[in-house]
Amino acid sequence: MTEAAQQITEGLRILANMIVKKFISETKTAQASNNLSLIRKPLEVQGEKLTLSVQEVARLLGVSKNGVYVLVHTGKISSLKFGRRILFPKRKLEEIIERSGL
């Protein structure tokens, strides 16, 4: 692994640890105040998912999972890659659908 890749990996590890600590802190605060509405699921804002999985996008577009991968690799849809996992910003996907008239 190159030095740049190692630095990125270390930065992501530190960021992940910070996120986990923040989540634990908020969870403890919510439990202490008995206000569980402070706890949010990852990638959600007030109950609305911000991202979709490959399988969800395939269902939404009516294509196979392989078809979704082809759309990603050809740059036709925006995606975020976290390790081996690919996620799709819901708003960007909605914009693409609106523009295409689906």
Side-chain angles (χ1 to χ4, degrees), residues 48-85:
E48 182 182 346
K49 286 179 69 170
L50 298 176
T51 59
L52 298 172
S53 68
V54 171
Q55 188 171 3
E56 291 169 321
V57 171
R59 248 184 315 210
L60 181 68
L61 298 178
V63 298
S64 68
K65 286 181 8 180
N66 285 340
V68 173
Y69 291 121
V70 169
L71 292 171
V72 169
H73 293 295
T74 58
K76 302 222 180 198
I77 57 176
S78 300
S79 64
L80 305 167
K81 192 163 182 182
F82 295 97
R84 295 179 61 188
R85 186 166 185 195

Side-chain angles (χ1 to χ4, degrees), residues 4-18:
Q6 288 175 340
Q7 290 175 345
I8 290 170
T9 301
E10 180 63 17
L12 289 173
R13 186 188 64 74
I14 292 169
L15 181 60
N17 285 336
M18 290 171 56

Side-chain angles (χ1 to χ4, degrees), residues 22-57:
K22 175 101 171 122
F23 179 77
I24 290 170
S25 172
E26 287 181 5
T27 302
K28 287 180 182 177
T29 302
Q31 288 172 342
S33 67
N34 206 17
N35 182 2
L36 297 179
S37 66
L38 293 176
I39 301 173
R40 293 189 181 134
K41 294 178 186 175
L43 302 175
E44 288 192 13
V45 174
Q46 297 177 351
E48 182 182 346
K49 286 179 69 170
L50 298 176
T51 59
L52 298 172
S53 68
V54 171
Q55 188 171 3
E56 291 169 321
V57 171

